[in-house]
Amino acid sequence: MRICPVKDLQPGMMLGKSLFSDDGQLLLRAGFPLEAEIIHRVLGTGRTALYIVEDGTEDILPEETISEETRNRASAVVSNTMLRIAEAAAQRPVSPEQLKTVIEKAPEFRNVVDVERVSGEIASIVDEIMDSSALILNQTLIKSNTGYNQEHAIDVTMLSVLIGRRLLYSRRDLLELGIAAFLHDLGKMAFPELLAKRPHEYSEDEHFMMREHPVFGHTMFGNSTDRFFMAQAGILYHHERQDGLGYPLGVRGKNTKPYVNGAKPTESMFPLSEIVAVADAYDNLIAGRKGAPQSPEAAITEIVRQSRSIYNSEVVKLLVETISIFPTGSMVRIVEATTKGLDGCAAAVMKPNSAKPHHPIVVLVRDAKGNRITPRTVDLAAETHSRLELAH
């Protein structure tokens, strides 16, 4: 199967992976033939792309970081949490200046997070990642414009846990890290009217309010449990910077490997938050939250440029090792290659190459003029020289 932008869907194509709603309900099952009416309905879901099956791509099977079942349950938890907080906020409408006090003291905001359900789903994600052979994140190119909050929480969690796994975190520490990543934007849910907006659409007052979301999230989670103190610190500090110019407290980072033992949140950025900060930034860049969506390679390049000043440089190194710049199933164009006849061809990525990330194994499906060709597999690692770009 391969990734196909929704705008390029054509009647007769076959759905490669099942399509679910933002709250985890099945919409279309894999293998369903796409007709014109179905495509019109898919356009209304806010999805940017789908997996489809076409000749030559039947053997391309993207490796799942977590199962669809686990992802759908986690998505439902995000939706439920958003609803609970929106209902709490609606019971006591106040000015932005009063909101901090209300969140701290109002009974509506006590136990607003279903901690047992959240921790249970994060435990499932951690266990699946620990039991898996997957070391790279391979499934974040397909985004939803309407389900951003659910997808963002899950994708930041997976990426954070994968980075923590590379640091040999214990299961307990991975659980705390996963919860911090999953709930890092918890405070934003107190502003349900702003969740649908992009940051450049905020007014000056709204920007000020949103800068307080780490404090609000930390408070709401702390008012819901007397456990997971490392996760609470991870939520509070995830917008701090290595140079001390972040918010809400302006603490500095140390640009060292983010090991948890001995960390003191009052003195510097908490290690878990340094991981969440990088995962959050990467996912926002590829989702296009602050501009046009960027490719994995462009997003990584941007984060590397800002390492040491904004992001922990050791975490950024681990990000580079964890992201597949040409994910399985993505469509690429061969810009240059040593072998005659490959230049300009379109191909679907069959298998990323962790040793040579710019040289995956691909299946050629179209020639340089866009005409369908008999599919054939090419290992670009065997090329003396090759250069690819993601197809749009």
Side-chain angles (χ1 to χ4, degrees):
M1 66 184 77
R2 70 170 180 89
I3 296 173
C4 179
V6 169
K7 63 181 178 60
D8 295 335
L9 292 175
Q10 299 291 330
M13 289 181 171
M14 182 174 292
L15 189 63
K17 291 182 67 175
S18 297
L19 179 64
F20 295 86
S21 65
D22 299 335
D23 59 358
Q25 300 300 309
L26 179 66
L27 297 178
L28 288 174
R29 195 173 299 280
F32 200 91
L34 298 177
E35 301 172 353
E37 177 59 28
I38 297 295
I39 293 173
H40 178 73
R41 286 166 53 192
V42 168
L43 288 170
T45 67
R47 290 278 162 184
T48 59
L50 298 177
Y51 282 100
I52 65 164
V53 178
E54 66 178 16
D55 290 347
T57 69
E58 297 89 348
D59 294 332
I60 298 178
L61 301 173
E63 186 175 12
E64 300 284 1
T65 306
I66 60 174
S67 67
E68 283 187 345
E69 180 183 0
T70 297
R71 187 179 186 98
N72 291 334
R73 289 201 314 266
S75 184
V77 170
V78 180
S79 296
N80 177 259
T81 304
M82 291 170 62
L83 179 61
R84 288 165 68 114
I85 294 175
E87 289 175 344
Q91 290 183 49
R92 195 181 295 237
V94 295
S95 68
E97 294 77 15
Q98 298 171 303
L99 186 58
K100 183 175 181 180
T101 301
V102 169
I103 288 175
E104 287 176 348
K105 299 181 178 180
E108 294 90 344
F109 283 96
R110 294 278 170 181
N111 299 312
V112 74
V113 179
D114 187 341
V115 176
E116 292 305 314
R117 189 176 176 192
V118 168
S119 60
E121 295 307 330
I122 300 306
S124 295
I125 291 173
V126 168
D127 288 341
E128 287 190 18
I129 289 176
M130 290 183 71
D131 291 342
S132 169
S133 61
L135 291 173
I136 59 174
L137 190 61
N138 198 21
Q139 49 184 137
T140 57
L141 279 184
I142 295 181
K143 294 292 185 182
S144 170
N145 293 323
T146 59
Y148 164 79
N149 298 293
Q150 292 89 336
E151 285 192 346
H152 182 62
I154 297 167
D155 290 341
V156 172
T157 299
M158 290 193 300
L159 181 50
S160 296
V161 172
L162 283 166
I163 291 174
R165 185 183 180 190
R166 288 180 179 273
L167 289 162
L168 302 181
Y169 274 15
S170 68
R171 182 185 183 278
R172 175 68 191 182
D173 290 346
L174 288 176
L175 179 61
E176 295 260 6
L177 172 60
I179 292 172
F182 192 69
L183 298 178
H184 73 280
D185 278 342
L186 180 66
K188 290 183 178 180
M189 297 179 191
F191 317 114
E193 71 281 1
L194 298 185
L195 286 179
K197 289 187 177 182
R198 294 177 182 268
H200 69 273
E201 298 172 327
Y202 297 157
S203 67
E204 187 173 335
D205 287 344
E206 288 170 344
H207 268 294
F208 176 79
M209 290 166 57
M210 293 302 272
R211 282 176 67 89
E212 290 294 305
H213 82 264
V215 176
F216 296 157
H218 174 262
T219 301
M220 285 191 285
F221 189 50
N223 284 344
S224 300
T225 184
D226 56 1
R227 302 157 56 206
F228 305 118
F229 295 109
M230 290 198 299
Q232 292 181 41
I235 293 168
L236 180 61
Y237 288 81
H238 77 276
H239 276 299
E240 302 291 354
R241 292 172 40 144
Q242 297 298 303
D243 56 14
L245 299 179
Y247 58 89
L249 303 176
V251 297
R252 300 178 68 92
K254 296 180 179 178
N255 270 308
T256 57
K257 284 192 175 180
Y259 293 122
V260 176
N261 294 340
K264 297 180 180 179
T266 56
E267 297 179 0
S268 63
M269 275 188 81
F270 194 63
L272 300 189
S273 65
E274 294 180 304
I275 296 173
V276 175
V278 170
D280 177 40
Y282 172 79
D283 196 66
N284 277 329
L285 286 170
I286 64 170
R289 290 297 290 174
K290 297 182 179 180
Q294 295 192 22
S295 69
E297 187 170 23
I300 290 172
T301 299
E302 177 66 14
I303 292 173
V304 168
R305 185 181 66 81
Q306 298 179 94
S307 65
R308 300 197 68 81
S309 59
I310 298 179
Y311 307 113
N312 182 310
S313 56
E314 295 295 328
V315 177
V316 172
K317 291 177 186 176
L318 294 170
L319 173 75
V320 174
E321 297 173 5
T322 305
I323 295 298
S324 174
I325 60 174
F326 296 120
T328 302
S330 60
M331 290 297 295
V332 296
R333 188 175 75 88
I334 302 176
V335 180
E336 298 174 345
T338 307
T339 300
K340 185 178 180 181
L342 293 183
D343 289 9
C345 287
V349 176
M350 172 172 277
K351 186 177 181 181
N353 185 340
S354 57
K356 294 182 177 181
H358 289 84
H359 302 84
I361 298 173
V362 301
V363 177
L364 300 181
V365 293
R366 289 179 179 82
D367 63 20
K369 296 181 179 179
N371 301 314
R372 286 184 175 274
I373 58 176
T374 302
R376 65 185 178 94
T377 302
V378 175
D379 186 353
L380 292 175
E383 294 290 300
T384 305
H385 168 75
S386 65
R387 182 162 65 90
L388 305 180
E389 63 180 13
L390 280 171
H392 300 291

